Amino acid sequence: MPKLIVFRGRTKEAVHDLDPVEQCVIGRGEAATLRIDSPMVSRRHVLVSWKADRDEGCWLAEDLGGTNGFWVDGVQHEEKVLSLGDVLEFGRHVVVFHETGLSRLEDLPTYAGRRSRLDEEESTAHVSREDMQRMVQKAKTRLSTHLRWRGEDRLHELKLGEEKYLVGFTAQCAVRLPGNPLLGKTAAKVFRNFSGRFVIESLSSLAAVRVNGAKVSTEQELKDGDTITVKGHELTFHSALME
């Protein structure tokens, strides 16, 4: 049976098992079946229900008139027939539609703490289309394989795909670190190898690369949570929670 899994960043906040005989309302209100504590989510935002008379039976998500609309995988909808792996987007929160037993998302611990409940009477905060898209992109990046590091002015997160990503001190580097290019313009390269695993390769003797404190001489496979250090700058590698 399918389920809905709520994430904020890489933290799993809630899981709801869907039932064909019951409707599931996603929203901020106390009466919502699956509650998301966010000022960007309306009290009754989206309805998910089983439609036996459509497409030989399907799970359908419908917009209930939420202030910020109903988005799936970057596209706004009035209604959407859900497919496994679809991501319903609510600003900094996402809700993943998945089949029981077919996702490693189920093995992740659910956040046991509680955020302060929002005032039920507060109006839903309106978010511009551009800001919503930026927040959604950041939320989805955190579920994907990515690198995270602190730049000169802010925290950066880079989603990793099939390209080769240079790490160094110039504008040509996908991961640009604060510092002088004289330390070594390009210190390392991150890429997916022939076996499909992400590795880091050291490129400069002037800027030593370490993974979890151990110096990388040639290439090293990266694992979830690994800390990469280049000239005192730290990067964190996160593997995908879902592909």
Side-chain angles (χ1 to χ4, degrees):
M1 192 64 64
K3 60 177 58 185
L4 299 173
I5 308 174
V6 181
F7 280 89
R8 189 180 192 278
R10 290 176 71 85
T11 300
K12 186 170 74 173
E13 291 195 341
V15 180
H16 177 74
D17 294 306
L18 293 168
D19 188 327
V21 301
E22 296 179 358
Q23 295 183 332
C24 174
V25 174
I26 302 173
R28 192 183 81 232
E30 291 284 357
T33 317
L34 182 57
R35 190 172 183 193
I36 298 177
D37 281 322
S38 168
M40 292 173 284
V41 177
S42 296
R43 295 172 186 83
R44 290 171 51 85
H45 202 116
V46 172
L47 173 67
V48 178
S49 60
W50 174 253
K51 301 294 185 183
D53 57 345
R54 283 189 57 168
D55 301 329
E56 299 181 354
C58 67
W59 288 97
L60 185 71
E62 302 172 78
D63 185 7
L64 293 177
T67 298
N68 294 305
F70 163 45
W71 299 73
V72 178
D73 294 329
V75 179
Q76 190 169 6
H77 296 269
E78 292 295 323
E79 62 176 42
K80 171 75 164 61
V81 174
L82 296 177
S83 302
L84 296 181
D86 275 350
V87 179
L88 289 68
E89 300 154 351
F90 301 89
R92 295 185 178 90
H93 287 81
V94 297
V95 177
V96 182
F97 176 77
H98 233 296
E99 185 77 19
T100 299
L102 296 182
S103 172
R104 62 174 289 212
L105 301 181
E106 295 176 64
D107 299 329
L108 297 172
T110 301
Y111 176 66
R114 293 183 59 179
R115 303 181 192 276
S116 58
R117 290 293 191 186
L118 297 170
D119 186 345
E120 177 77 9
E121 301 304 317
E122 281 188 20
S123 298
T124 304
H126 174 72
V127 181
S128 71
R129 186 184 185 93
E130 293 75 17
D131 286 343
M132 178 66 73
Q133 289 174 330
R134 278 194 291 270
M135 282 188 287
V136 164
Q137 186 58 49
K138 183 177 289 187
K140 292 173 70 174
T141 292
R142 290 174 179 174
L143 292 178
S144 306
T145 301
H146 68 282
L147 286 171
R148 180 183 176 100
W149 74 98
R150 173 67 63 181
E152 291 182 339
D153 55 347
R154 63 183 177 88
L155 190 67
H156 295 266
E157 291 166 317
L158 174 67
K159 182 178 179 179
L160 302 179
E162 299 305 319
E163 299 178 31
K164 295 181 179 181
Y165 304 90
L166 292 177
V167 179
F169 302 91
T170 68
Q172 287 69 44
C173 295
V175 178
R176 185 178 184 180
L177 302 174
N180 193 321
L182 294 177
L183 297 174
K185 294 182 179 180
T186 54
K189 178 170 61 179
V190 176
F191 59 98
R192 195 191 295 268
N193 64 14
F194 291 112
S195 64
R197 297 181 175 88
F198 279 95
V199 298
I200 186 167
E201 178 184 354
S202 178
L203 299 178
S204 173
S205 60
L206 297 177
V209 178
R210 299 180 183 275
V211 176
N212 300 327
K215 187 174 180 179
V216 176
S217 55
T218 53
E219 293 181 8
Q220 182 168 326
E221 181 181 332
L222 294 171
K223 298 178 181 178
D224 185 51
D226 277 352
T227 298
I228 302 163
T229 307
V230 180
K231 285 291 183 180
H233 301 289
E234 286 192 355
L235 303 87
T236 307
F237 173 83
H238 290 292
S239 59
L241 295 182
M242 57 177 292
E243 297 290 354

